[in-house]
Amino acid sequence: WCQRRSRQALVRGLEGQRVEAIVVYGRKDRLEVLHTYLLRNLRKNGGVLDRVRFVVFVAKRADIEYLRELVTANSPYYDIPAVSGRRLAKIYSVCDDPKTVYVKIDDDIVYIADEAVPNMVRERLRGRCSLVSANVVNHAILSAVHQDVGAIRNFFPPPPGAGGAGERVRAWQEPRWPFSDEGLALGVVTKQSQSQCVWALWECAAWMH
């Protein structure tokens, strides 16, 4: 058992540093989970985020209506800024203050540790790297690192027909995958920004989770 540091200790020294989150948005059902962690990380709630800005990438009408309601309910801490450019460029077009530390967050993040955002901000302020990443599960590059250090156990889809006669559950619908630390893994997660394992194969997404 390890004693956790208090939230006050986690944010100490960052009181004067402005920090904004840029959330890439498109799906209501994902944001409903992330919203809880965004609120927890606001400075007014003991975190370091001064503002959360939502950049809509691709979204349906119902998703946009939900976002507008959420932003209105949490103004002035949430907003939808004007953007410029296309596709990925518009995400970064709102990062226009060199004195602000910006934290990009995808809308499908379902857990943020209390120390994650403060530690990333501190590392960015050290000036050693232009970009700093959290330790993200099911990440196109970090999954390869997790595999290298043995943090990913070898889970496998159940063999066809494992559910018994008359069972028509497809492999991707099966909630329980057998695992084994013997033999080779399901595949190799290559160290590329768009690894085929994480990006293109549902088996890999299920395996990482």
Side-chain angles (χ1 to χ4, degrees), residues 6-162:
S6 68
R7 297 192 71 209
Q8 292 82 1
L10 290 174
V11 304
R12 189 171 297 132
L14 298 175
E15 294 84 359
Q17 175 60 53
R18 184 165 183 82
V19 182
E20 296 186 0
I22 309 299
V23 178
V24 184
Y25 175 72
R27 297 162 290 189
K28 171 187 174 182
D29 57 350
R30 270 64 164 185
L31 184 56
E32 287 176 325
V33 178
L34 175 61
H35 169 54
T36 301
Y37 292 100
L38 295 174
L39 286 180
R40 182 171 176 80
N41 277 275
L42 287 176
R43 196 177 298 276
K44 73 184 186 78
N45 295 328
V48 298
L49 296 180
D50 295 287
R51 183 166 59 175
V52 177
R53 318 200 77 183
F54 295 90
V55 174
V56 178
F57 193 64
V58 177
K60 296 179 180 180
R61 184 184 301 274
D63 296 318
I64 293 177
E65 290 175 354
Y66 167 77
L67 177 61
R68 288 172 176 164
E69 293 173 359
L70 189 69
V71 167
T72 299
N74 293 277
S75 178
Y77 304 102
Y78 283 14
D79 79 347
I80 306 174
V83 299
S84 60
R86 298 178 57 195
R87 299 184 63 80
L88 295 178
K90 65 182 180 181
I91 298 170
Y92 302 100
S93 67
V94 300
C95 304
D96 54 6
D97 181 2
K99 294 183 179 180
T100 296
V101 174
Y102 295 96
V103 182
K104 172 182 171 290
I105 305 174
D106 288 348
D107 67 356
D108 57 353
I109 297 296
V110 296
Y111 173 74
I112 300 177
D114 283 341
E115 62 270 20
V117 176
N119 283 350
M120 284 192 293
V121 172
R122 285 195 179 89
E123 178 57 36
R124 181 65 188 88
L125 293 175
R126 292 187 183 104
R128 300 190 296 183
C129 306
S130 297
L131 299 174
V132 178
S133 175
N135 186 18
V136 182
V137 174
N138 195 28
H139 185 278
I141 296 176
L142 289 175
S143 292
V145 177
H146 296 159
Q147 187 176 54
D148 284 350
V149 300
I152 301 176
R153 301 196 69 178
N154 293 339
F155 283 80
F156 302 91

